[in-house]
PDB file of all heavy atoms in Angstrom:
ATOM      1  N   VAL A  19      13.821 -20.769  16.788  1.00 85.00           N
ATOM      2  CA  VAL A  19      15.191 -21.263  16.610  1.00 85.00           C
ATOM      3  C   VAL A  19      15.955 -20.340  15.664  1.00 85.00           C
ATOM      4  O   VAL A  19      17.121 -19.998  15.916  1.00 85.00           O
ATOM      5  CB  VAL A  19      15.189 -22.722  16.078  1.00 85.00           C
ATOM      6  CG1 VAL A  19      16.592 -23.176  15.727  1.00 85.00           C
ATOM      7  CG2 VAL A  19      14.563 -23.664  17.100  1.00 85.00           C
ATOM      8  N   ALA A  20      15.320 -19.913  14.599  1.00 85.00           N
ATOM      9  CA  ALA A  20      15.962 -19.007  13.641  1.00 85.00           C
ATOM     10  C   ALA A  20      16.354 -17.695  14.314  1.00 85.00           C
ATOM     11  O   ALA A  20      17.434 -17.149  14.057  1.00 85.00           O
ATOM     12  CB  ALA A  20      15.028 -18.739  12.459  1.00 85.00           C
ATOM     13  N   ASP A  21      15.486 -17.189  15.186  1.00 87.00           N
ATOM     14  CA  ASP A  21      15.807 -15.961  15.918  1.00 87.00           C
ATOM     15  C   ASP A  21      17.009 -16.161  16.829  1.00 87.00           C
ATOM     16  O   ASP A  21      17.869 -15.280  16.938  1.00 87.00           O
ATOM     17  CB  ASP A  21      14.601 -15.495  16.736  1.00 87.00           C
ATOM     18  CG  ASP A  21      13.473 -14.967  15.872  1.00 87.00           C
ATOM     19  OD1 ASP A  21      13.730 -14.610  14.701  1.00 87.00           O
ATOM     20  OD2 ASP A  21      12.333 -14.915  16.360  1.00 87.00           O
ATOM     21  N   ALA A  22      17.081 -17.318  17.462  1.00 89.00           N
ATOM     22  CA  ALA A  22      18.222 -17.624  18.336  1.00 89.00           C
ATOM     23  C   ALA A  22      19.514 -17.695  17.520  1.00 89.00           C
ATOM     24  O   ALA A  22      20.561 -17.177  17.939  1.00 89.00           O
ATOM     25  CB  ALA A  22      17.981 -18.932  19.087  1.00 89.00           C
ATOM     26  N   ILE A  23      19.445 -18.298  16.351  1.00 89.00           N
ATOM     27  CA  ILE A  23      20.623 -18.386  15.481  1.00 89.00           C
ATOM     28  C   ILE A  23      21.033 -16.982  15.037  1.00 89.00           C
ATOM     29  O   ILE A  23      22.221 -16.653  15.020  1.00 89.00           O
ATOM     30  CB  ILE A  23      20.350 -19.307  14.273  1.00 89.00           C
ATOM     31  CG1 ILE A  23      20.217 -20.757  14.745  1.00 89.00           C
ATOM     32  CG2 ILE A  23      21.464 -19.182  13.234  1.00 89.00           C
ATOM     33  CD1 ILE A  23      19.729 -21.723  13.685  1.00 89.00           C
ATOM     34  N   SER A  24      20.071 -16.145  14.718  1.00 89.00           N
ATOM     35  CA  SER A  24      20.379 -14.767  14.318  1.00 89.00           C
ATOM     36  C   SER A  24      21.111 -14.028  15.435  1.00 89.00           C
ATOM     37  O   SER A  24      22.059 -13.283  15.173  1.00 89.00           O
ATOM     38  CB  SER A  24      19.096 -14.013  13.960  1.00 89.00           C
ATOM     39  OG  SER A  24      18.503 -14.565  12.814  1.00 89.00           O
ATOM     40  N   ARG A  25      20.664 -14.243  16.661  1.00 91.00           N
ATOM     41  CA  ARG A  25      21.342 -13.591  17.794  1.00 91.00           C
ATOM     42  C   ARG A  25      22.767 -14.112  17.952  1.00 91.00           C
ATOM     43  O   ARG A  25      23.681 -13.353  18.270  1.00 91.00           O
ATOM     44  CB  ARG A  25      20.550 -13.797  19.083  1.00 91.00           C
ATOM     45  CG  ARG A  25      19.305 -12.929  19.162  1.00 91.00           C
ATOM     46  CD  ARG A  25      18.659 -12.966  20.534  1.00 91.00           C
ATOM     47  NE  ARG A  25      18.183 -14.281  20.923  1.00 91.00           N
ATOM     48  CZ  ARG A  25      17.003 -14.797  20.595  1.00 91.00           C
ATOM     49  NH1 ARG A  25      16.167 -14.095  19.848  1.00 91.00           N
ATOM     50  NH2 ARG A  25      16.638 -15.984  20.994  1.00 91.00           N
ATOM     51  N   MET A  26      22.963 -15.400  17.702  1.00 91.00           N
ATOM     52  CA  MET A  26      24.299 -15.988  17.820  1.00 91.00           C
ATOM     53  C   MET A  26      25.239 -15.461  16.728  1.00 91.00           C
ATOM     54  O   MET A  26      26.428 -15.331  16.938  1.00 91.00           O
ATOM     55  CB  MET A  26      24.234 -17.516  17.730  1.00 91.00           C
ATOM     56  CG  MET A  26      23.502 -18.169  18.881  1.00 91.00           C
ATOM     57  SD  MET A  26      24.345 -17.969  20.437  1.00 91.00           S
ATOM     58  CE  MET A  26      25.786 -18.957  20.169  1.00 91.00           C
ATOM     59  N   LEU A  27      24.688 -15.171  15.565  1.00 90.00           N
ATOM     60  CA  LEU A  27      25.486 -14.686  14.431  1.00 90.00           C
ATOM     61  C   LEU A  27      25.613 -13.163  14.413  1.00 90.00           C
ATOM     62  O   LEU A  27      26.152 -12.608  13.458  1.00 90.00           O
ATOM     63  CB  LEU A  27      24.846 -15.141  13.111  1.00 90.00           C
ATOM     64  CG  LEU A  27      24.820 -16.633  12.829  1.00 90.00           C
ATOM     65  CD1 LEU A  27      24.025 -16.915  11.561  1.00 90.00           C
ATOM     66  CD2 LEU A  27      26.228 -17.183  12.710  1.00 90.00           C
ATOM     67  N   LYS A  28      25.151 -12.515  15.466  1.00 88.00           N
ATOM     68  CA  LYS A  28      25.025 -11.059  15.489  1.00 88.00           C
ATOM     69  C   LYS A  28      26.229 -10.310  14.924  1.00 88.00           C
ATOM     70  O   LYS A  28      26.078  -9.412  14.125  1.00 88.00           O
ATOM     71  CB  LYS A  28      24.740 -10.589  16.914  1.00 88.00           C
ATOM     72  CG  LYS A  28      24.394  -9.128  16.991  1.00 88.00           C
ATOM     73  CD  LYS A  28      23.975  -8.746  18.378  1.00 88.00           C
ATOM     74  CE  LYS A  28      23.552  -7.285  18.401  1.00 88.00           C
ATOM     75  NZ  LYS A  28      23.083  -6.884  19.700  1.00 88.00           N
ATOM     76  N   ASN A  29      27.416 -10.658  15.309  1.00 86.00           N
ATOM     77  CA  ASN A  29      28.598  -9.927  14.852  1.00 86.00           C
ATOM     78  C   ASN A  29      29.449 -10.726  13.869  1.00 86.00           C
ATOM     79  O   ASN A  29      30.641 -10.480  13.742  1.00 86.00           O
ATOM     80  CB  ASN A  29      29.449  -9.497  16.061  1.00 86.00           C
ATOM     81  CG  ASN A  29      28.707  -8.514  16.939  1.00 86.00           C
ATOM     82  OD1 ASN A  29      28.005  -7.640  16.431  1.00 86.00           O
ATOM     83  ND2 ASN A  29      28.832  -8.655  18.235  1.00 86.00           N
ATOM     84  N   SER A  30      28.836 -11.673  13.188  1.00 86.00           N
ATOM     85  CA  SER A  30      29.621 -12.501  12.276  1.00 86.00           C
ATOM     86  C   SER A  30      29.377 -12.102  10.819  1.00 86.00           C
ATOM     87  O   SER A  30      28.415 -11.415  10.491  1.00 86.00           O
ATOM     88  CB  SER A  30      29.291 -13.979  12.476  1.00 86.00           C
ATOM     89  OG  SER A  30      28.222 -14.365  11.675  1.00 86.00           O
ATOM     90  N   GLU A  31      30.254 -12.582   9.966  1.00 88.00           N
ATOM     91  CA  GLU A  31      30.145 -12.319   8.531  1.00 88.00           C
ATOM     92  C   GLU A  31      28.962 -13.055   7.909  1.00 88.00           C
ATOM     93  O   GLU A  31      28.473 -12.675   6.847  1.00 88.00           O
ATOM     94  CB  GLU A  31      31.428 -12.767   7.826  1.00 88.00           C
ATOM     95  CG  GLU A  31      32.675 -12.062   8.299  1.00 88.00           C
ATOM     96  CD  GLU A  31      33.943 -12.717   7.766  1.00 88.00           C
ATOM     97  OE1 GLU A  31      33.840 -13.704   7.008  1.00 88.00           O
ATOM     98  OE2 GLU A  31      35.024 -12.232   8.111  1.00 88.00           O
TER      99      GLU A  31
END
Side-chain angles (χ1 to χ4, degrees):
V19 173
D21 290 340
I23 291 171
S24 294
R25 285 190 297 275
M26 294 294 292
L27 294 174
K28 189 174 183 177
N29 296 321
S30 89
E31 300 169 1

